[in-house]
């Protein structure tokens, strides 16, 4: 008798069936009489077994930990990935409580989760913590679904856990890197922007919004909104710069003024690049950075002003030098006339007025020569109070009508030895600096 030996038979319709055969052979007086066979179709059973084997192979080869457990938390199955992730071999975990993997502060959370599974609910947690054999805490994403029997009753739970520790660390590292980048951009007074050419959408980071004097929650959705913040005299230039970048090398460079909500004007330097679909394809978007260059622009303007002043000083020095020569002739002639005894008194008085006027004019030319730095150093003993008082009209004119100059001079001040022209130049420079610092108006006190 042969019991349950497998075979494959072809049915009448041509399909192949898996069968098990019970075969009995009958003999009489030592001679073969006949054979009786019972054949059982096990095709569906074999298909189910193969499906089960495939499912077991999938579970065994999965990169995620797949753990079966009862509704009380006792582990019933433990795949190879679970052993690799948590460090526990299957023989140590099957039959053990799942709470071995769970931090104590999360035990109540696990019990609530099992109660939800008992009611047939499917639960997914984007992130939680588990404890490995070596004591390390790792971050895992968790998905738990109910296991049902043939009658549909929930008899257990299946947990799929993925180790996301490295991903979380990478995300944290990226967040720190972005934070450092934002701090660096903020310290450099720079902001980033992105302009989508297909939709017209414009996005700014918080640093750029701050440069524009805007709150973080304020949005600049389109380039037209941005252009409204550009100084009206610079809008055409900004548009032309973008057009050149789109039609040319793809590099955007420009400097322009913006008007803050307070009305204050600020200079920005913009550097961006056009990104295309392929080397010469359609332009997709423009991205770049903007930097506050107001201080640099101010310094450049001051340098140009200083250069202009230097040119004026050189011109004034040349004129003063010629005027000084002329005044020397006038003073010499006036002295000669005044030394004569045969000059009538009315004429002498007129010549004396000429001499005094020439002397005052010579003093003015000396100041111009000092301003242009063309006068040789001539230290002498001088009264500092007298020098400051003589400069008061010039300093008042330098300050302008909206600013005042006040003198607080000590009557007991001693004499000093210095070059009057250099001293006057120092006072004039300090006055000009004070004028620039005052802005709209104020008072300069010399004490």
């Amino acid at each position: 008798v042969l019991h349950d030996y497998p075979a494959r038979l072809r049915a009448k319709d041509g399909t192949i069936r898996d069968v098990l055969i019970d075969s009995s052979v009958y003999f009489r007086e030592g001679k073969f009489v006949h054979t009786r066979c019972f054949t059982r179709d096990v095709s569906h059973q074999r298909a189910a077994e193969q499906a089960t084997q495939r499912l077991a192979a999938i579970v065994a080869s999965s990169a995620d930990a797949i753990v079966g457990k009862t509704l009380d938390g006792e582990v019933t199955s433990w795949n190879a990935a679970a052993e690799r992730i948590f460090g526990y071999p299957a023989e140590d975990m099957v039959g053990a409580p799942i709470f071995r993997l769970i931090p104590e502060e999360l035990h109540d959370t696990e019990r609530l989760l099992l109660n939800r599974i008992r009611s047939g609910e499917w639960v997914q947690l984007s992130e939680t913590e588990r404890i490995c054999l070596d004591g390390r805490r790792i971050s895992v994403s968790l998905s738990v679904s109910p296991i049902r029997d043939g009658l549909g009753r929930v008899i257990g739970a299946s947990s799929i856990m993925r180790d996301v520790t490295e991903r979380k660390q990478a995300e944290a590292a990226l967040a720190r890197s972005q934070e450092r980048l934002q701090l660096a951009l903020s310290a450099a007074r720079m902001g980033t922007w992105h302009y989508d050419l297909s939709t017209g959408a414009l996005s700014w980071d918080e640093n750029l919004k701050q440069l524009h004097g805007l709150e973080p929650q304020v949005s600049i959705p389109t380039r037209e909104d941005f252009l409204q913040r550009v100084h009206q005299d610079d809008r055409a230039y900004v548009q032309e710069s973008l057009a050149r970048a789109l039609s040319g090398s793809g590099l955007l460079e420009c400097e322009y003024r913006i008007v803050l909500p307070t009305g204050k004007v600020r200079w920005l330097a913009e550097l961006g690049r056009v990104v295309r679909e392929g080397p010469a394809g359609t332009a997709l978007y423009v991205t770049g950075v903007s930097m506050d260059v107001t201080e640099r622009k101010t310094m450049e303007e001051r340098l140009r002003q200083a250069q202009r002043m230097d040119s004026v000083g050189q011109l004034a020095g040349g004129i003063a030098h010629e005027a000084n020569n002329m005044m020397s002739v006038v003073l010499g002639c006036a002295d000669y006339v005044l030394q004569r005894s045969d000059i009538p008194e009315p004429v002498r008085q007129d010549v004396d007025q000429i001499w005094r006027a020439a002397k005052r004019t010579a003093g003015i030319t000396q100041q111009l020569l000092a301003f242009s730095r063309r006068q040789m150093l001539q230290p002498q003993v001088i009264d500092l109070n007298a020098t400051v008082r003589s400069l008061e009209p010039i300093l008042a004119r330098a300050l302008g009508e909206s600013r005042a100059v006040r003198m607080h001079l000590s009557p007991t001040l001693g004499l000093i030895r210095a070059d009057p022209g250099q001293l006057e130049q120092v006072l004039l420079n300090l006055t000009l600096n004070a004028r620039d610092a005052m802005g709209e108006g104020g008072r300069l006190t010399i004490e």
Side-chain angles (χ1 to χ4, degrees):
V1 178
L2 299 176
H3 294 290
D4 291 342
Y5 66 89
R8 305 193 77 193
L9 301 179
R10 186 185 302 274
K12 183 178 180 180
D13 59 4
T15 59
I16 303 297
R17 303 290 182 87
D18 290 302
V19 298
L20 290 178
I21 300 175
D22 284 343
S23 177
S24 299
V25 181
Y26 291 89
F27 294 89
R28 184 179 295 163
E29 296 179 356
K31 294 181 179 181
F32 169 77
V33 178
H34 65 273
T35 300
R36 180 177 294 175
C37 295
F38 296 92
T39 304
R40 185 168 71 253
D41 187 352
V42 294
S43 298
H44 294 295
Q45 179 182 343
R46 183 61 57 83
E49 290 175 352
Q50 292 174 348
T52 301
Q53 291 172 357
R54 285 195 298 270
L55 180 60
I58 292 173
V59 171
S61 61
S62 173
D64 297 332
I66 301 177
V67 179
K69 55 191 174 184
T70 67
L71 295 176
D72 294 327
E74 181 181 320
V75 176
T76 57
S77 63
W78 185 262
N79 73 340
E83 182 173 337
R84 175 179 53 81
I85 292 173
F86 298 109
Y88 289 98
E91 55 268 22
D92 288 349
M93 284 302 300
V94 174
I98 193 65
F99 294 96
R100 176 183 290 179
L101 302 178
I102 302 173
E104 186 173 354
E105 66 271 17
L106 297 178
H107 282 191
D108 289 341
T109 302
E110 178 69 10
R111 293 187 182 96
L112 291 174
L113 185 148
L114 289 173
N115 286 334
R116 292 171 64 182
I117 295 298
R118 186 177 282 107
S119 64
E121 189 177 347
W122 176 79
V123 180
Q124 183 171 12
L125 299 178
S126 59
E127 190 176 303
T128 187
E129 285 191 337
R130 291 295 182 261
I131 302 175
C132 299
L133 176 61
D134 58 8
R136 288 182 301 111
R137 286 197 176 201
I138 63 172
S139 298
V140 298
S141 62
L142 175 64
S143 174
V144 186
S145 57
I147 299 175
R148 301 177 184 273
D149 63 10
L151 299 177
R153 295 173 300 186
V154 178
I155 59 173
S158 174
S159 298
I160 300 177
M161 290 175 281
R162 175 170 295 177
D163 185 358
V164 295
T165 305
E166 290 186 3
R167 187 197 73 192
K168 186 178 178 182
Q169 291 172 345
E171 291 173 350
L174 177 60
R176 289 193 298 270
S177 176
Q178 290 176 337
E179 182 180 6
R180 287 193 295 269
L181 174 60
Q182 290 301 315
L183 288 174
L185 290 173
S186 178
R189 296 189 62 76
M190 298 175 64
T192 62
W193 50 268
H194 181 92
Y195 177 38
D196 191 323
L197 295 170
S198 61
T199 63
L202 187 66
S203 60
W204 291 357
D205 69 354
E206 292 188 6
N207 289 331
L208 187 53
K209 291 180 181 179
Q210 186 176 7
L211 289 181
H212 281 258
L214 303 176
E215 296 296 328
Q217 65 272 15
V218 177
S219 63
I220 305 294
T222 65
R223 186 167 177 82
E224 286 67 30
D225 296 319
F226 154 67
L227 288 173
Q228 291 301 314
R229 300 186 177 277
V230 176
H231 194 285
Q232 59 181 0
D233 294 341
D234 295 344
R235 289 174 189 169
Y237 165 68
V238 171
Q239 289 287 70
E240 291 169 2
S241 299
L242 177 62
R244 285 196 301 270
L246 292 173
S247 61
S249 64
L251 185 63
L252 172 63
E253 289 184 282
C254 60
E255 292 183 357
Y256 55 88
R257 291 164 293 177
I258 60 172
V259 182
L260 304 184
T262 59
K264 182 179 178 181
V265 174
R266 176 174 287 166
W267 277 93
L268 294 184
E270 192 166 84
L271 178 63
R273 184 172 295 278
V274 179
V275 178
R276 301 181 180 276
E277 187 176 9
T282 304
L284 301 177
Y285 57 87
V286 188
T287 187
V289 297
S290 296
M291 177 187 296
D292 183 359
V293 293
T294 306
E295 184 175 352
R296 192 198 76 197
K297 284 289 187 179
T298 302
M299 295 301 295
E300 289 176 352
E301 180 59 30
R302 288 182 178 176
L303 177 60
R304 285 191 291 270
Q305 179 72 12
Q307 290 171 340
R308 287 194 294 268
M309 292 296 292
D310 186 61
S311 299
V312 170
Q314 291 180 10
L315 176 63
I319 296 173
H321 186 71
E322 293 298 323
N324 192 56
N325 292 337
M326 296 298 180
M327 287 302 102
S328 297
V329 174
V330 173
L331 286 170
C333 292
D335 280 334
Y336 175 75
V337 171
L338 291 173
Q339 289 174 8
R340 291 177 57 177
S341 59
D342 59 342
I343 301 299
E345 187 60 27
V347 175
R348 181 179 295 278
Q349 292 177 359
D350 291 340
V351 173
D352 184 64
Q353 291 297 321
I354 292 172
W355 184 89
R356 291 178 183 277
K359 191 69 175 178
R360 286 194 297 271
T361 303
I364 293 174
T365 59
Q366 290 297 318
Q367 291 175 351
L368 286 174
L369 286 171
F371 175 74
S372 64
R373 295 183 177 88
R374 295 184 59 178
Q375 183 181 12
M376 297 297 291
L377 289 178
Q378 296 179 352
Q380 54 188 278
V381 176
I382 59 174
D383 182 346
L384 184 58
N385 286 339
T387 301
V388 172
R389 287 194 190 96
S390 68
L391 274 179
E392 185 173 0
I394 296 176
L395 300 183
R397 286 194 297 272
L399 284 174
E401 295 181 356
S402 63
R403 308 170 190 88
V405 59
R406 296 289 183 267
M407 302 289 184
H408 290 174
L409 307 181
S410 171
T412 61
L413 194 66
L415 301 179
I416 66 169
R417 179 175 176 81
D419 181 278
Q422 291 291 310
L423 184 59
E424 292 168 357
Q425 183 66 50
V426 168
L427 288 171
L428 181 58
N429 286 345
L430 290 173
T431 301
L432 294 175
N433 287 342
R435 179 195 65 188
D436 294 340
M438 287 182 200
E440 297 299 326
R443 182 174 67 245
L444 169 64
T445 301
I446 298 178
E447 182 174 0

